[in-house]
Amino acid sequence: LMALTATATREVREDVKVQLGIPRCVTFKQSFNRPNISYEVYLKGPRSKTVEWIAEFIQDEMPRGASGIIYCFSKQECEDVAKALRRQFRIAAEHYHAGLADESRIAVQQRWMRRATQVIVATIAFGMGIDKPDVRFVIHYTMPKNVEGFYQESGRAGRDGQPARSIVLFSHADQRRLIGMIDKNSNGLTRAA
C-alpha cells in the first residue's frame, strides 16, 4: 500500500496513516522547493492589457510552442482569456473547467498533453493527476485562493527539471473578490467594514 500527497502538513500525514491503518509505515518527504522554477508577481491591469501582456510573454519570452497553464477564478474568465489568446494573438489556447462535459475536458487535456494545444486556461478543476513534465510556465491570471493551492498549481511547471516560470498577476479587485468569497462561506457572516 502506498499513499502519496503533494503538500500535506505533518498533522495531515499522521491522519492519513491512521485512516489507512498504517501507523508505522515508512515515510519519505522532500521540500517543495523547486530551484528550477522562478517565481514572479506582477500588478495586473485591465483585462485586455493583461491578456496582451500574457500573449507577449508567451510569444517573446518562452520557447516556441512551450506548454503552459493559466489559472483563472471563474469559468467565464477561462473562456474569455482562451478566446482572446486564440483570436487576437493566434496562440493555441483552450479553456478547461468543471462546466464542460467529461468528454470535452478529456479531449482538451489530451490535445494539450500531445502538444496540439499550447496553453490550457483553467480553473483549479484542472491539474490533479496531471504529470506533463515539460510545462514551461504557470500563470495565475487571478491570484491563488490559498498558499497550498499556489504550491500545487505552480508546481505543475518544470517537472522535467528544466527552467520554468510561475507568475502571479495581482490586483486589489481580485483580492476583494477572494475575500468576499471567503466571507460568504464563513458561516453566512459578512466581514465588517
Side-chain angles (χ1 to χ4, degrees):
L1 179 66
M2 180 186 297
L4 304 168
T5 182
T7 56
T9 62
R10 185 184 58 75
E11 292 82 13
V12 170
R13 290 192 308 269
E14 293 304 316
D15 187 49
V16 167
K17 289 186 216 177
V18 169
Q19 296 300 320
L20 295 177
I22 53 172
R24 291 180 299 218
C25 67
V26 176
T27 303
F28 300 95
K29 70 176 188 145
Q30 67 181 46
S31 171
F32 61 82
N33 181 32
R34 304 261 299 288
N36 63 312
I37 302 175
S38 68
Y39 296 91
E40 305 162 49
V41 178
Y42 295 98
L43 193 58
K44 183 166 131 181
R47 187 184 79 77
S48 62
K49 290 291 184 191
T50 301
V51 173
E52 180 180 349
W53 183 90
I54 290 170
E56 288 174 0
F57 166 79
I58 292 169
Q59 293 169 334
D60 299 343
E61 297 188 40
M62 289 288 101
R64 184 170 179 79
S67 291
I69 305 169
I70 300 172
Y71 284 105
C72 295
F73 182 76
S74 70
K75 294 183 269 190
Q76 190 62 55
E77 273 181 348
C78 292
E79 293 176 17
D80 293 345
V81 170
K83 183 191 238 177
L85 289 172
R86 277 192 315 273
R87 290 188 178 174
Q88 296 171 25
F89 304 101
R90 297 179 185 218
I91 293 172
E94 292 192 64
H95 65 273
Y96 182 108
H97 55 65
L100 296 175
D102 290 345
E103 313 82 57
S104 296
R105 282 197 311 272
I106 291 167
V108 167
Q109 182 177 327
Q110 287 175 342
R111 285 191 294 272
W112 182 69
M113 292 295 286
R114 67 175 192 268
R115 302 180 65 91
T117 295
Q118 181 180 3
V119 178
I120 292 285
V121 184
T123 60
I124 59 170
F126 181 75
M128 297 305 281
I130 300 300
D131 192 18
K132 183 170 170 45
D134 63 343
V135 176
R136 297 279 61 91
F137 63 92
V138 172
I139 297 173
H140 283 86
Y141 180 83
T142 309
M143 55 190 272
K145 294 177 184 171
N146 56 50
V147 173
E148 182 181 70
F150 174 68
Y151 290 153
Q152 289 181 356
E153 293 155 12
S154 64
R156 295 190 176 111
R159 290 186 174 178
D160 58 3
Q162 297 303 307
R165 293 172 72 178
S166 171
I167 296 173
V168 175
L169 302 175
F170 172 82
S171 79
H172 292 288
D174 289 345
Q175 180 186 24
R176 284 190 297 275
R177 257 194 330 179
L178 288 171
I179 289 171
M181 183 185 77
I182 291 167
D183 288 344
K184 217 175 187 179
N185 291 331
S186 299
N187 300 323
L189 302 176
T190 304
R191 179 185 295 264

